[in-house]
Amino acid sequence: MSKPKVFIDGEAGTTGLQIRARLQHRNDIEIISIDPAKRKDELERKRLLNMADVAILCLHDDLAKGAVAMLENPETRILDASSAHRVAEGWVYGFPELTPAQPEAIRRARLVSNPGCYPTGVIALLRPLIEAGLLPADFAASVNAISGYSGGGRQLIDAMEGRGEHRLAGDYRAYGLELTHKHIPEMTVYSGLRHPPIFTPAVGRFRQGMLDFIPVHLWALPQKVTAAELHEALAERYQGQRFVRVMPLETYGQHHPVLDPQALNGTNLLELFVYENPAREQALLVARFDNLGKGASGAAVQNLDIMLGLEGPYTYEYFGD
């Protein structure tokens, strides 16, 4: 039986390189690659797209849409790592932990959209709590987040590493201040929120790693809810999940915790935290993961394996540059 063929369209970019690095030692798939001299040759890209069992798109949104338009082989399946199709009709959202039924939906789908980095943590935190009735669908969500600079693409990486200039280059830069970041529709749709959250991302001078923060004023909720109940709902939802870990509840006064956004780099893990201050009736929801792991390339490989029925004892780790 032949091995499934996988074509990474855009394998020279940050996400594509990381996906290839995670797949290159696998012996259960065949990676087909484009001649570097023909990367911009649309006829060659089209040929490879249509000979693949799964084509992974690591492209800017407009190019990803163009690649989908090139499809002629009804057997070729698409895993799109861009943001072009995350809320598009006919596409399955590639967050396997979204619901118990999501892995099967991904397994059967021809068109799968890989989640965005920031939305992964936000959705993982909010959806179980809204579905459990602990947070209302009209919860006024605010999301503050910080990412390593690798999430900004090649130009930002070069600028941060002394090879050019970029408006986000520096020790810490907040952006998205016009409140129209392209990840907001995805966060809203898949979290179950009725209204878009206020989302303020930032980039720091570290290569990869991510933290999402969502504050909760428990006293302002329409019904009495404790941080322990929020934690219990998350722990119940993700019990037995391979890549999602709900960390112990943290109460003010026990100790003075700190979080390193880089702690999960090189893995496909997602850690969820609940911090509380009972006296002030406040809680803080936090997600930690690698923006190039569970936030991009690691998630893509996880989805690829589900699509091909190849889930196995893979580490989903890559400790390279």
Side-chain angles (χ1 to χ4, degrees):
M1 186 173 180
S2 61
K3 300 176 183 177
K5 294 180 174 62
V6 176
F7 173 53
I8 306 170
D9 193 6
E11 71 172 31
T14 304
T15 299
L17 286 170
Q18 291 260 330
I19 291 173
R20 186 178 179 88
R22 285 166 165 80
L23 295 176
Q24 63 185 356
H25 299 301
R26 297 268 296 267
N27 59 13
D28 54 351
I29 60 173
E30 178 186 346
I31 300 176
I32 53 178
S33 294
I34 194 166
D35 183 332
K38 295 184 177 181
R39 274 188 197 136
K40 296 185 179 181
D41 184 332
E42 290 200 4
L43 288 178
E44 180 64 3
R45 285 180 54 228
K46 182 176 181 179
R47 183 182 75 83
L48 295 175
L49 278 165
N50 285 284
M51 69 179 287
D53 293 290
V54 177
I56 305 176
L57 308 182
C58 302
L59 306 164
H60 292 297
D61 288 6
D62 55 344
L63 291 176
K65 292 176 183 177
V68 174
M70 293 179 185
L71 278 182
E72 295 176 347
N73 182 353
E75 301 300 318
T76 296
R77 303 168 74 189
I78 295 290
L79 174 57
D80 184 8
S82 82
S83 61
H85 299 104
R86 289 178 186 153
V87 294
E89 186 176 352
W91 289 73
V92 171
Y93 192 57
F95 183 34
E97 297 86 0
L98 183 70
T99 68
Q102 202 67 13
E104 185 60 25
I106 294 168
R107 192 185 318 277
R108 293 175 176 273
R110 186 187 182 202
L111 304 173
V112 177
S113 184
N114 211 51
C117 52
Y118 291 115
T120 293
V122 174
I123 294 163
L125 288 166
L126 288 180
R127 181 155 181 150
L129 303 181
I130 292 173
E131 288 187 344
L134 297 174
L135 296 180
D138 60 358
F139 175 62
S142 293
V143 180
N144 302 301
I146 186 167
S147 173
Y149 59 79
S150 57
R154 177 56 56 193
Q155 287 186 340
L156 180 56
I157 292 171
D158 286 346
M160 285 291 209
E161 296 177 357
R163 296 186 297 272
E165 296 183 357
H166 193 283
R167 69 187 186 93
L168 295 181
D171 292 333
Y172 178 94
R173 293 288 188 272
Y175 65 104
L177 303 178
E178 71 283 359
L179 305 182
T180 58
H181 194 282
K182 67 179 182 178
H183 285 168
I184 292 176
E186 180 184 355
M187 291 178 183
T188 308
V189 169
Y190 296 110
S191 67
L193 288 170
R194 192 169 294 150
H195 307 287
I198 291 178
F199 174 48
T200 51
V203 62
R205 194 179 285 281
F206 54 95
R207 198 172 203 280
Q208 61 196 84
M210 178 166 282
L211 294 171
D212 287 340
F213 300 92
I214 304 174
V216 181
H217 290 287
L218 298 170
W219 56 265
L221 297 178
Q223 63 187 44
K224 185 172 179 59
V225 174
T226 66
E229 289 174 316
L230 300 178
H231 182 269
E232 182 181 0
L234 292 173
E236 182 177 341
R237 168 60 71 91
Y238 298 112
Q239 183 178 9
Q241 289 292 340
R242 178 179 176 188
F243 297 114
V244 181
R245 299 173 176 174
V246 179
M247 310 306 285
L249 178 66
E250 296 274 6
T251 302
Y252 173 75
Q254 291 180 343
H255 57 96
H256 301 286
V258 296
L259 283 177
D260 178 1
Q262 303 176 82
L264 298 180
N265 285 1
T267 79
N268 193 49
L269 297 177
L270 169 64
E271 291 181 340
L272 305 178
F273 300 81
V274 179
Y275 296 89
E276 70 166 343
N277 186 322
R280 295 181 178 176
E281 294 184 89
Q282 293 174 331
L284 181 65
L285 311 176
V286 185
R288 173 167 66 181
F289 52 108
D290 181 356
N291 62 291
L292 296 182
K294 187 62 169 162
S297 304
V301 174
Q302 183 183 355
N303 281 317
L304 175 69
D305 282 342
I306 293 172
M307 293 171 75
L308 294 175
L310 297 176
E311 297 122 300
Y314 312 119
T315 64
Y316 293 81
E317 293 177 349
Y318 167 58
F319 296 101
D321 295 329

